[in-house]
Amino acid sequence: MHIVADENIPLIREFFAELGSIETLPGRDMTADQIRKADVLLVRSITRVNRELLEGSRVKFVATATIGCDHIDLEYLNDNNIGFANAPGCNANSVVEYVLSVLTLLSDQEAFLMQDKTIGIIGAGNVGSRLQERLSSLGLKVLVNDPPRARKEGEAGFSDLDELLAQSDIISMHTPLITEGDYPTVHLMNEKRIQSLKPGTVLINSGRGDTLDNEALKRRLMESDDIIAVLDVWENEPGIDHELMELVDIATPHIAGYSLDGKLGGTEMVYQAVCQHFGLPVRKKLGQLMPEPALKKISLAGHAHRWWSTLTAVRACYDVRNDDIAMRRAFGKAARRKQPLGPVFDELRRDYPVRREFPTLKIQLKTNQKKLADRLERFGFSIRLGK
């Protein structure tokens, strides 16, 4: 069996070496010639898997180590009897933690209490539903817009999109990219909706870049600069709009779901899917291969302030400011040298530093800190109480 895989899928050889030969390639640049002799194709979200890529190849199975599959022509796979699997939920917790890092940072910078805010979540699939659960447990008022789910489950618990935009202080976008059908999401946040946002609104997009009209957002920021914009995903990746990047408050290179835990979870899920498809035994488990976190434990004194403790714990695991600084520095350096920016975007993703999720950090508290323990557990941390 010959396996061709995106070079950014971690532990690919550790999981798949026993199954056959492995060839890793840059995901964005895969060509039909390169995968012609592959039996299995493993990708991430930046590879368009369609007739143009697969026709004439011997590929029997395609898997994407990501939640979404809008980059896969599922109809073509079905018509040509090519097996398929994705990795639903693999990096959902990573994206939730990205949003939590953003919110704790902004609440510190803008001097607001998270629990005083109403947050609107657009798209309540794997990521949005987990974010809803996490934020609700932390005391935020949460509104949810998800028309497909509302049609299936009933309108109760779901909000009209325009009503959600009018009522929310914070908006977090998590819709898949849908180009046709009853509920298309391309430019779901269009110019009219972007212009309707009340001053002070926080707009976060860590879902799909094309669901938000980047030109319209740039015009709003250039004209009034009265909203807070946080973009992890962009139109025209990797050749994103540098001017827009300079205007937004937090800019990151499509890495919200890039925790090591999430990526390795995706690798394990596609490994299991390949084994199942070809009738092979599953011999590898993630627990055997997962490395120890660099920071395993922190201890907080009994008098530690609750909000300071929360900020410290979140930033110890993931501080979104580091990714924002790295992106601006890399883009600025390339722009000064008049170098193309697309490769810089991909390099930031390829060379992304190891980031672990909140549950990998154990926080030691005193027995009299039960309220703090409860709050940190709701954020997702592992807590130990003792004298």
Side-chain angles (χ1 to χ4, degrees):
M1 182 187 302
H2 184 55
I3 301 166
V4 172
D6 185 315
E7 64 184 2
N8 285 339
I9 299 177
L11 294 185
I12 196 74
R13 298 188 186 281
E14 288 81 352
F15 271 105
F16 288 90
E18 293 181 353
L19 304 187
S21 59
I22 300 169
E23 181 181 2
T24 58
L25 299 169
R28 204 179 297 280
D29 301 323
M30 283 187 184
T31 66
D33 285 340
Q34 290 173 323
I35 63 107
R36 196 170 304 280
K37 296 182 179 180
D39 300 292
V40 174
L41 177 63
L42 306 177
V43 300
R44 291 185 60 82
S45 60
I46 61 174
T47 303
R48 304 297 302 181
V49 180
N50 50 26
R51 176 187 296 275
E52 288 73 21
L53 185 65
L54 295 176
E55 193 167 41
S57 75
R58 67 185 195 194
V59 171
K60 303 178 186 69
F61 191 79
V62 172
T64 179
T66 59
I67 295 175
C69 51
D70 48 58
H71 53 298
I72 309 290
D73 187 340
L74 296 175
E75 184 177 353
Y76 179 83
L77 298 189
N78 185 61
D79 290 345
N80 289 273
N81 199 30
I82 298 173
F84 172 73
N86 63 336
C90 67
N91 64 352
N93 196 56
S94 178
V95 180
V96 169
E97 291 181 2
Y98 175 92
V99 175
L100 289 173
S101 182
V102 167
L103 294 182
T104 52
L105 172 61
L106 293 178
S107 64
D108 189 39
Q109 290 180 338
E110 305 294 326
F112 65 76
L113 296 176
M114 286 172 55
Q115 58 266 34
D116 291 342
K117 298 297 182 181
T118 296
I119 183 163
I121 297 174
I122 305 175
N126 282 296
V127 176
S129 58
R130 291 195 195 190
L131 181 63
Q132 177 188 9
E133 180 181 359
R134 194 81 60 92
L135 294 177
S136 296
S137 75
L138 289 168
L140 280 76
K141 179 181 179 182
V142 181
L143 304 177
V144 177
N145 172 259
D146 193 310
R149 280 190 57 190
R151 183 171 69 175
K152 181 180 179 180
E153 303 169 23
E155 298 291 334
F158 296 99
S159 299
D160 171 80
L161 178 55
D162 294 310
E163 292 178 359
L164 177 149
L165 297 178
Q167 297 176 32
S168 298
D169 304 300
I170 301 162
I171 297 158
S172 194
M173 300 183 64
H174 301 285
T175 62
L177 184 62
I178 302 172
T179 59
E180 55 189 18
D182 294 335
Y183 305 110
T185 61
V186 177
H187 284 189
L188 183 65
M189 280 297 291
N190 55 26
E191 180 149 21
K192 181 179 179 181
R193 286 178 170 142
I194 291 170
Q195 289 295 335
S196 76
L197 299 178
K198 59 191 178 186
T201 297
V202 176
L203 176 62
I204 305 168
N205 190 9
S206 55
R208 287 290 183 264
D210 290 335
T211 61
L212 187 152
D213 186 336
N214 282 201
E215 279 295 323
L217 177 61
K218 183 165 72 170
R219 283 192 291 272
R220 170 74 188 255
L221 296 174
M222 292 179 72
E223 290 167 3
S224 53
D225 192 26
D226 60 351
I227 63 173
I228 297 171
V230 179
L231 295 188
D232 178 61
V233 291
W234 313 74
E235 289 193 275
N236 304 313
E237 293 179 13
I240 71 168
D241 188 331
H242 191 199
E243 287 185 346
L244 176 60
M245 191 207 77
E246 295 289 350
L247 289 168
V248 302
D249 296 84
I250 299 174
T252 53
H254 200 153
I255 47 72
Y258 257 39
S259 72
L260 181 64
D261 309 77
K263 289 194 288 186
L264 292 183
T267 305
E268 181 181 42
M269 292 174 77
V270 298
Y271 164 73
Q272 292 172 345
V274 169
C275 290
Q276 181 179 13
H277 181 80
F278 290 99
L280 301 171
V282 175
R283 300 185 185 279
K284 302 290 185 180
K285 293 186 180 297
L286 183 54
Q288 302 167 330
L289 303 171
M290 181 72 79
E292 275 193 332
L295 180 63
K296 298 193 293 184
K297 178 181 175 181
I298 60 173
S299 298
L300 297 175
H303 61 269
H305 188 274
R306 192 180 305 173
W307 178 238
W308 177 87
S309 299
T310 303
L311 281 176
T312 299
V314 170
R315 290 173 179 174
C317 271
Y318 177 55
D319 190 340
V320 70
R321 293 177 298 182
N322 295 330
D323 288 333
D324 176 74
I325 291 168
M327 185 170 181
R328 294 182 193 276
R329 180 183 295 134
F331 269 62
K333 184 177 180 180
R336 288 192 300 273
R337 295 179 176 181
K338 297 183 179 179
Q339 296 172 335
L341 301 179
V344 176
F345 189 90
D346 281 342
E347 286 167 10
L348 287 166
R349 302 182 80 227
R350 184 194 66 203
D351 301 331
Y352 192 66
V354 172
R355 167 178 142 211
R356 301 304 301 268
E357 293 182 5
F358 292 177
T360 66
L361 179 62
K362 294 178 174 62
I363 302 177
Q364 181 72 47
L365 300 174
K366 303 297 183 183
T367 53
N368 66 342
Q369 293 176 295
K370 291 183 179 179
K371 287 186 177 180
L372 175 58
D374 179 66
R375 179 176 179 80
L376 290 174
E377 281 186 332
R378 291 173 191 271
F379 265 84
F381 295 101
S382 301
I383 304 300
R384 289 183 178 178
L385 290 173
K387 294 182 180 180

